[in-house]
Amino acid sequence: MFMSNSITQFGLILCGNSPAALECMARMISHGITVHVYSNTAVNTSEENNTQISIFQNSKDIEGLADAWLIMDFTPVAKATDIPAFVREMMPQGNVVYCAAAASCTATALSQWLGNSATSIFSGMSGFTNNASIEYSVSLDASPEVSAQVSALWHSLGYGVNLVEDRVGLIAPRILATLINEAAFAVMEGVASAADIDKAMTLGVNYPKGLLSWADDIGLDYILALLDGLYDEYHQERYRAAVILRQYVRAGYVGKVAGRGFYTY
């Protein structure tokens, strides 16, 4: 049982090497928060000697450094074996809250896999740190204290928070992924080029960014994982991923981070 809603009562761990993970790390540092960084996480050269960053290899490296832990995991999680080993080692201790940027599962699924109800999912798309608020959910069997701790985490980083139902894709990522998927189908079927589709959406619908350029920013692998998770959950045709998305991911054309997606960078 967690007795305090203050973020200062927890050690904070960050895991993952996605652009969103780096964005989150930068935000933590800018807010004066010390973060323990798992060794699979890319750290900018300019931050390697930052005293607010502590890099660790396994759970034993951080043993005894905090009475309780909040873990922010940007690793793509679709099944139990995707969860980093150090998380599986720490969760049975009962003093850990695990927050995952899971695109294709729910917090309740994480709870079942880990045998610990202190789980949460949040939108982990690249660019999410530019948003004014964060969507998150908690496991169906989580205590109110867990939700309060997750809320305090996001508030400490300067966000408003929106607690939503524990569903695959939450709200904004789910809607955006289906729009991107429809745009991908249009490219695949020769309806229009990626550039023309994006121009239509920015000029005609006043979107802040073209859907396919947006997809490249987020990462086509993230979009595909989200669509596959939605299809597995609901078995509805609207979530069937366009083959062009799957082929691009197979080829490594996952977007801006790879230098190629719907556009070349």
Side-chain angles (χ1 to χ4, degrees):
M1 179 70 70
F2 300 98
M3 301 305 294
S4 171
N5 291 340
S6 171
I7 193 69
T8 60
Q9 303 300 312
F10 285 78
L12 191 57
I13 293 173
L14 187 138
C15 174
N17 59 6
S18 68
L22 297 180
E23 291 168 13
C24 189
M25 184 190 305
R27 194 168 183 109
M28 291 173 180
I29 292 170
S30 70
H31 282 72
I33 297 172
T34 297
V35 56
H36 299 272
V37 178
Y38 185 48
S39 57
N40 79 333
T41 305
V43 177
N44 292 334
T45 303
S46 60
E47 296 173 344
E48 286 179 350
N49 297 319
N50 193 312
T51 56
Q52 290 175 237
I53 296 176
S54 170
I55 299 175
F56 70 97
Q57 301 286 334
N58 54 61
S59 59
K60 291 190 179 298
D61 291 344
I62 55 174
E63 198 172 88
L65 296 182
D67 293 329
W69 294 97
L70 273 166
I71 301 171
M72 295 185 68
D73 184 9
F74 288 83
T75 304
V77 175
K79 55 187 182 298
T81 53
D82 293 334
I83 299 171
F86 84 90
V87 176
R88 297 197 299 271
E89 292 168 0
M90 292 179 69
M91 288 301 283
Q93 299 173 16
N95 59 348
V96 181
V97 177
Y98 178 52
C99 307
S104 54
C105 70
T106 63
T108 304
L110 293 176
S111 169
Q112 181 184 30
W113 295 337
L114 291 167
N116 186 327
S117 63
T119 56
S120 172
I121 61 171
F122 62 92
S123 170
M125 298 184 297
S126 180
F128 86 111
T129 56
N130 296 323
N131 298 334
S133 63
I134 290 291
E135 293 175 16
Y136 78 96
S137 70
V138 295
S139 174
L140 196 61
D141 55 349
S143 69
E145 288 84 2
V146 169
S147 182
Q149 291 291 355
V150 175
S151 178
L153 167 64
W154 293 118
H155 276 303
S156 73
L157 296 177
Y159 293 105
V161 293
N162 295 308
L163 176 62
V164 302
E165 288 293 320
D166 187 34
R167 300 287 186 270
V168 172
L170 303 175
I171 299 173
R174 168 178 173 169
I175 293 171
L176 182 57
T178 55
L179 290 169
I180 288 170
N181 195 40
E182 187 60 33
F185 269 112
V187 171
M188 185 176 71
E189 294 165 359
V191 175
S193 68
D196 286 343
I197 291 169
D198 281 356
K199 184 180 291 186
M201 298 310 293
T202 53
L203 299 181
V205 191
N206 201 31
Y207 276 24
K209 188 178 292 189
L211 287 170
L212 298 172
S213 174
W214 209 344
D216 279 357
D217 285 349
I218 293 168
L220 302 189
D221 49 347
Y222 181 96
I223 297 298
L224 180 61
L226 177 48
L227 289 167
D228 284 346
L230 288 164
Y231 189 82
D232 289 344
E233 185 81 352
Y234 296 105
H235 300 287
Q236 294 178 355
E237 182 68 12
R238 59 178 166 161
Y239 298 127
R240 178 174 60 86
V243 171
I244 192 172
L245 277 173
R246 201 172 301 282
Q247 283 287 79
Y248 278 7
V249 171
R250 286 167 178 158
Y253 304 158
V254 296
K256 188 173 288 185
V257 70
R260 182 170 177 180
F262 284 100
Y263 296 91
T264 301
Y265 301 90

